[in-house]
Amino acid sequence: MINLFRTYNPLNILWLGILLFLLRVGYVYNAPAKIDFTYLEPFARMLAPKAYHYDFPPLVNITLAALLVFGQALLVNRLTNQFGLLGKPSFLPALMYVTLSGLFTPFLVLSPPLVCNFLLIWMLYKLFDLYKGDDAKSITYDLGMIVAVGSLIYFPFIYLFLSIWAALLLFRPFYWREWIIGIMGYATVFFFLAVIYYLRDKLPEFSDIWTPLASKFPTHVSITSYNYLILIPVVLIFVLGAVRIQQVFFRSYVQIRKSFQLLFVVFLITGLSFYVKAQFSLTHFLLCVVPLSIYFAYYFLYAGVRWFYESLYFILLAGIVYFQFNTF
C-alpha cells in the first residue's frame, strides 16, 4: 500500500477513493439513527438564522463528510508537493490524510472542525507564501480574515491566529506593520458582526463572545481505553517521523526546515485549543490531521525497511476498521 502511494501516479486517486470507502463502511453499519450538523457558533447564528443546522439522514451525512475529506486530502497533497516539503512528489500526504481522518468514529460525520480544515489548508498555502512573498502585508491581512471566519464556524479556530505570528517570526525579518495588519484583518470580520449585533439591539452581548477564552485548561481529557489503543500506532509513527526529520534536518533547505517547524507549531495550537469548547468532542482533533498527515507522509516516504513500515501502516488501518465494527 505504502509503496503504491510513494509514486506520483494519478491512478492513486482511484485507490484513495476505495480506501476512503473502506474506512467508512464499518461506521455506516453501526451509524446512529440521527446525526445533527450545526456549522456556526451560537454567537454567529444570526448570520444564517434558518440555515445553520441540518438534520441529514446518516448515510447522506457520512457521504458528504467523505467527499469533504477526499477533497481536502487532494488539497493537502497538492500543498505538500507544490512547496516541496517532502523533497519529491507523491500521494502519501493524501493517503495519510484519508487514513487519519478515519481514526475515530466522530471524525466520520460532518462537523465544524471538518469544514474548518478547508480554511486551515488555505491558511497553510498563504503562510508558506510568506517565505518568498513580496507583499506580506496583504497576505497577513487575508490570514487574519480567514481566522475570523473560521472562529465563526468553530470558535477554537481563533487560536490559529498565533500561527500567523509564528510564520512571521520564522519566515520574515521583524516588521511591526506586518504583525499588526493581521489583527486588522481579524477585526474587519468581527466589525461587521458587531454591526449586526447593533442593528438587532444586542450590542451589550457582543463582548460575551470571548468569554470562553478565560476558561481554565483541563488537567485531563476523558476518552475511552479503546481510543488510547488506536493511538498507539499513531504515536509510534509520529515519533519515528520526528526522528527521521531530525536526522536530515540540517541537511534540508532552510525553507523546508522552517516549514516543518511551522507545521509543528500549527499541530500544537490545534491540539491544545480544544478546551475553549464547553462540551469536549473528539471531532476537535480533526484540525490536527492536516499537519500530522504531512509528518506521517515524510516518514513513510523515507522509511527504509519495507516489511516494517508496511506492517505498521496495516496495523493502523486494521485498528481503525476493527473499532468501527466493534462499538463495545
Side-chain angles (χ1 to χ4, degrees):
M1 177 70 77
I2 296 298
N3 270 13
L4 180 67
F5 283 87
R6 276 181 163 185
T7 60
Y8 191 71
N9 187 343
L11 286 177
N12 286 336
I13 297 176
L14 176 62
W15 291 112
L16 201 65
I18 294 172
L19 179 65
L20 187 74
F21 171 77
L22 293 176
L23 286 175
R24 279 151 179 79
V25 66
Y27 184 67
V28 171
Y29 179 77
N30 292 311
K34 182 180 179 182
I35 304 175
D36 295 327
F37 171 53
T38 303
Y39 71 91
L40 282 177
E41 290 288 351
F43 64 81
R45 289 174 186 171
M46 62 180 67
L47 297 173
K50 298 181 180 179
Y52 66 84
H53 176 81
Y54 293 94
D55 186 11
F56 294 118
L59 183 59
V60 174
N61 190 303
I62 296 169
T63 302
L64 290 175
L67 291 174
L68 293 184
V69 167
F70 190 74
Q72 290 168 356
L74 295 179
L75 287 173
V76 169
N77 201 78
R78 183 176 180 273
L79 168 77
T80 308
N81 292 329
Q82 178 176 323
F83 289 96
L85 298 181
L86 301 185
K88 55 184 178 181
S90 74
F91 267 95
L92 282 175
L95 174 66
M96 294 300 114
Y97 188 88
V98 166
T99 304
L100 292 172
S101 64
L103 197 61
F104 302 114
T105 52
F107 285 10
L108 305 179
V109 297
L110 291 173
S111 63
L114 179 60
V115 176
C116 283
N117 268 352
F118 279 111
L119 298 176
L120 178 54
I121 295 167
W122 189 14
M123 282 187 66
L124 288 174
Y125 272 98
K126 288 186 170 293
L127 288 170
F128 292 147
D129 274 338
L130 285 173
Y131 184 77
K132 293 183 178 179
D134 296 326
D135 191 9
K137 292 191 288 295
S138 64
I139 295 176
T140 52
Y141 184 83
D142 292 344
L143 285 166
M145 294 186 70
I146 294 172
V147 173
V149 172
S151 58
L152 296 178
I153 299 171
Y154 184 64
F155 191 63
F157 200 83
I158 190 175
Y159 277 109
L160 279 163
F161 190 90
L162 298 175
S163 68
I164 303 174
W165 286 344
L168 290 173
L169 187 65
L170 288 168
F171 295 155
R172 311 278 301 180
F174 179 76
Y175 187 49
W176 68 269
R177 288 185 176 86
E178 294 176 354
W179 288 64
I180 298 299
I181 202 166
I183 300 175
M184 295 172 62
Y186 187 91
T188 299
V189 174
F190 274 82
F191 170 78
F192 288 108
L193 182 63
V195 170
I196 296 174
Y197 267 73
Y198 173 77
L199 293 175
R200 298 200 176 188
D201 201 24
K202 293 184 178 181
L203 193 58
E205 301 174 18
F206 186 72
S207 60
D208 296 336
I209 293 174
W210 292 276
T211 302
L213 295 177
S215 303
K216 292 183 178 180
F217 193 82
T219 56
H220 70 282
V221 178
S222 298
I223 63 175
T224 67
S225 57
Y226 304 109
N227 294 141
Y228 284 115
L229 286 176
I230 198 63
L231 283 176
I232 292 174
V234 173
V235 173
L236 179 58
I237 296 171
F238 180 80
V239 171
L240 291 173
V243 170
R244 178 59 186 169
I245 291 172
Q246 186 182 24
Q247 288 174 345
V248 298
F249 186 77
F250 291 105
R251 287 181 285 166
S252 304
Y253 291 111
V254 174
Q255 181 180 0
I256 304 303
R257 295 205 303 263
K258 292 188 175 184
S259 295
F260 271 98
Q261 288 174 329
L262 178 62
L263 285 171
F264 184 69
V265 171
V266 171
F267 172 72
L268 289 179
I269 293 171
T270 54
L272 297 176
S273 59
F274 68 91
Y275 77 98
V276 176
K277 295 290 288 184
Q279 186 176 3
F280 171 74
S281 174
L282 282 173
T283 56
H284 169 85
F285 296 105
L286 267 169
L287 294 171
C288 300
V289 171
V290 177
L292 205 58
S293 60
I294 300 175
Y295 269 89
F296 278 32
Y298 193 95
Y299 166 69
F300 282 111
L301 185 62
Y302 293 104
V305 184
R306 180 174 180 179
W307 69 265
F308 179 76
Y309 64 73
E310 291 281 8
S311 300
L312 189 58
Y313 179 72
F314 177 78
I315 291 171
L316 175 60
L317 209 61
I320 293 172
V321 175
Y322 177 77
F323 286 115
Q324 286 179 12
F325 277 102
N326 294 272
T327 55
F328 303 96

